[in-house]
């Protein structure tokens, strides 16, 4: 009974927040409006996660202890591979490789097609896969899915997935919607789990490595999904600082798949996730 009341109140709060978000103007990737979006995600996740858990029959190998889970995090990079020189995406890969850290890159298909960058960026996506990074689908050219129909959304995802698979040999099986679009119609259209975030560095806005570093170090905890963009040199600078600092603090940087597998939390199509949560 208590639980029912809690779930109903959570749904009501979610509905209110979703309405508020729906009235927001669409803006680049992350804005001051994001905290509301994140809160809405948090409220809904509380309801949906217990429902999907029973579908997992056998728990995966418990390779991580309870304490370990507090130290697992996923860094994610959107919108790349970059079209700058030197490539900020390559600089980020260099740092991750140096420290044996993993991350997830949500790639935009169109960045594998520009005549001046096609060959270089195809090689970069291949390197991402070879280094054990996870590659997710961030659409072909970054439209707002919340304003599109199901067939248009899927054309965007298929076109990007074809380009990513051709470049890397791996077809992405997770999606990050441009602008974090998460309306129900959008989720209904996407036959993949949608991965959002709970730490928003606003790196695209500040282009300030120290601010990005501070945002991460102040907010990080186990299960976090951190949002950055590999398009900027300032982000590559921040990665050079933050990766060793996180490791020094005992964190292990893993891919989205590795994070959720460790938490024993199944990733389900048409659902969205903003962090990994313990399964009780
Ligand atoms: Ni984006």
């Amino acid at each position: 009974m208590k639980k029912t009341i809690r779930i109903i109140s959570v749904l009501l709060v979610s509905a209110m927040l979703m309405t508020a978000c729906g009235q927001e103007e669409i803006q680049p990737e992350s804005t001051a409006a994001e905290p509301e979006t994140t809160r809405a995600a948090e409220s809904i996740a509380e309801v949906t996660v217990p429902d999907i858990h029973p579908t997992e029959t056998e728990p995966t190998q418990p390779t991580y202890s309870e304490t370990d889970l507090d130290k697992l995090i996923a860094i994610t990079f959107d919108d790349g591979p970059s079209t700058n020189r030197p490539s900020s995406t390559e600089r980020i890969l260099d740092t991750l490789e140096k420290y044996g850290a993993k991350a997830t890159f949500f790639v935009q298909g169109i960045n594998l097609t520009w005549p001046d960058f096609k060959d270089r960026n195809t090689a970069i996506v291949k390197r991402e896969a070879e280094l054990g990074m996870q590659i997710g689908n961030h659409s072909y050219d970054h439209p707002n899915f919340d304003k599109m129909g199901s067939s248009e959304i899927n054309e965007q995802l298929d076109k990007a997935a074809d380009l990513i698979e051709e470049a890397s040999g791996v077809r992405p099986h997770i999606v990050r919607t441009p602008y974090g679009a998460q309306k129900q119609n959008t989720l209904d259209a996407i036959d993949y789990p949608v991965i959002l975030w709970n730490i928003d560095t606003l790196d695209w806005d500040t282009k300030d490595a120290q601010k990005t570093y501070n945002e991460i170090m102040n907010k990080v905890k186990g299960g976090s999904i951190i949002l950055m963009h590999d398009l900027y040199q300032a982000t590559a600078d921040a990665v050079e600082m933050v990766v060793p600092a996180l490791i020094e603090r005992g964190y292990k940087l893993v891919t989205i798949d590795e994070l959720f597998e460790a938490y024993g939390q199944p990733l389900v199509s048409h659902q969205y996730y903003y962090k990994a949560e313990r399964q009780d």
Side-chain angles (χ1 to χ4, degrees):
M1 187 58 174
K2 215 171 176 182
K3 196 174 179 187
T4 311
I5 289 166
R6 181 163 170 265
I7 288 173
I8 288 170
S9 65
V10 164
L11 282 171
L12 279 172
V13 172
S14 304
M16 285 159 61
L17 288 171
M18 292 299 276
T19 307
C21 292
Q23 290 163 350
E24 296 291 344
E25 238 181 278
I26 298 310
Q27 296 172 33
E29 199 66 27
S30 329
T31 68
E34 280 306 341
E36 289 196 4
T37 313
T38 305
R39 286 208 306 275
E42 194 157 353
S43 306
I44 286 173
E46 281 186 47
V47 179
T48 52
V49 170
D51 288 341
I52 57 177
H53 183 54
T55 61
E56 187 84 331
T57 48
E58 289 293 323
T60 46
Q61 297 167 349
T63 46
Y64 294 99
S65 73
E66 285 292 295
T67 319
D68 288 338
L69 293 186
D70 289 334
K71 291 296 182 185
L72 288 183
I73 56 171
I75 292 186
T76 66
F77 297 96
D78 284 11
D79 298 356
S82 67
T83 52
N84 50 8
R85 297 185 197 276
S87 162
S88 43
T89 304
E90 272 189 311
R91 290 186 55 212
I92 288 168
L93 285 173
D94 289 344
T95 302
L96 294 169
E97 183 178 22
K98 178 177 172 185
Y99 291 100
K102 298 287 187 284
T104 300
F105 291 82
F106 288 96
V107 165
Q108 267 192 94
I110 198 170
N111 287 338
L112 301 171
T113 68
W114 305 116
D116 288 352
F117 294 98
K118 184 177 192 277
D119 291 346
R120 187 194 75 177
N121 284 356
T122 296
I124 287 174
V125 168
K126 189 163 185 277
R127 183 179 171 211
E128 287 173 356
E130 285 169 354
L131 287 175
M133 308 298 161
Q134 186 167 1
I135 303 173
N137 192 332
H138 197 47
S139 82
Y140 177 69
D141 61 0
H142 217 276
N144 181 2
F145 287 0
D146 282 347
K147 296 184 172 176
M148 294 162 61
S150 174
S151 60
E152 287 174 295
I153 291 173
N154 280 292
E155 273 171 34
Q156 277 278 329
L157 292 175
D158 290 346
K159 199 169 172 184
D162 287 347
L163 286 159
I164 291 166
E165 186 175 13
E166 196 181 325
S168 70
V170 183
R171 198 166 184 86
H173 57 260
I174 54 174
V175 166
R176 173 165 286 155
T177 49
Y179 314 105
Q182 53 180 272
K183 280 189 175 171
Q184 193 57 51
N185 285 350
T186 298
L187 295 174
D188 289 347
I190 301 176
D191 198 18
Y192 297 95
V194 172
I195 310 299
L196 300 177
W197 58 86
N198 70 334
I199 297 180
D200 188 347
T201 62
L202 298 177
D203 62 335
W204 62 271
D205 187 24
T206 69
K207 297 188 184 68
D208 182 323
Q210 188 64 48
K211 283 184 179 165
T212 298
Y213 172 91
N214 291 345
E215 192 67 15
I216 295 171
M217 297 310 285
N218 290 338
K219 293 187 177 168
V220 67
K221 56 181 190 176
S224 292
I225 300 176
I226 298 165
L227 170 64
M228 287 190 271
H229 300 78
D230 48 320
L231 303 184
Y232 309 107
Q233 304 296 352
T235 298
D237 294 340
V239 169
E240 285 176 4
M241 297 193 292
V242 84
V243 167
L246 288 167
I247 292 170
E248 176 71 25
R249 227 192 250 185
Y251 286 102
K252 186 168 162 58
L253 281 57
V254 297
T255 65
I256 290 293
D257 275 1
E258 289 165 344
L259 180 70
F260 281 84
E261 188 181 340
Y263 272 75
Q265 185 175 358
L267 289 173
V268 178
S269 297
H270 310 294
Q271 304 274 353
Y272 65 84
Y273 301 84
Y274 68 101
K275 67 175 182 180
E277 294 181 285
R278 290 172 185 276
Q279 307 296 288
D280 298 318

